[in-house]
Amino acid sequence: PPVGVSKACSSCVRTADVKEACTQCDQFVCQSCSRLCSCCNAVTCSLCSTIDYGDVGEQVLCNGCSIFQV
């Protein structure tokens, strides 16, 4: 995309930076809606991540990492 072009966040429809995209589904997400996977540090949207309420507190896990957490 050309410089200066912005996209809409897939969650809240606010303007998202072009470089902010979910690593799982490639949807654009703004900084306030994006989540960082506690396991692999991937940026994900709310649909492509789960919150694990385990022994160590809340952990955000992307869909890829949540498969391995039981």
Side-chain angles (χ1 to χ4, degrees), residues 37-64:
C37 178
S38 301
C39 193
C40 69
N41 288 327
V43 174
T44 62
C45 68
S46 57
L47 295 174
C48 293
S49 59
T50 56
I51 298 177
D52 179 33
Y53 300 99
D55 300 335
V56 286
E58 288 183 12
Q59 280 190 309
V60 175
L61 297 171
C62 69
N63 287 347

Side-chain angles (χ1 to χ4, degrees), residues 12-48:
C12 68
V13 196
R14 278 187 236 140
T15 302
D17 197 333
V18 174
K19 67 179 182 285
E20 294 173 336
C22 174
T23 55
Q24 304 285 305
C25 68
D26 292 327
Q27 293 288 330
F28 290 101
V29 283
C30 70
Q31 207 162 16
S32 57
C33 292
S34 65
R35 295 178 176 173
L36 198 62
C37 178
S38 301
C39 193
C40 69
N41 288 327
V43 174
T44 62
C45 68
S46 57
L47 295 174
C48 293

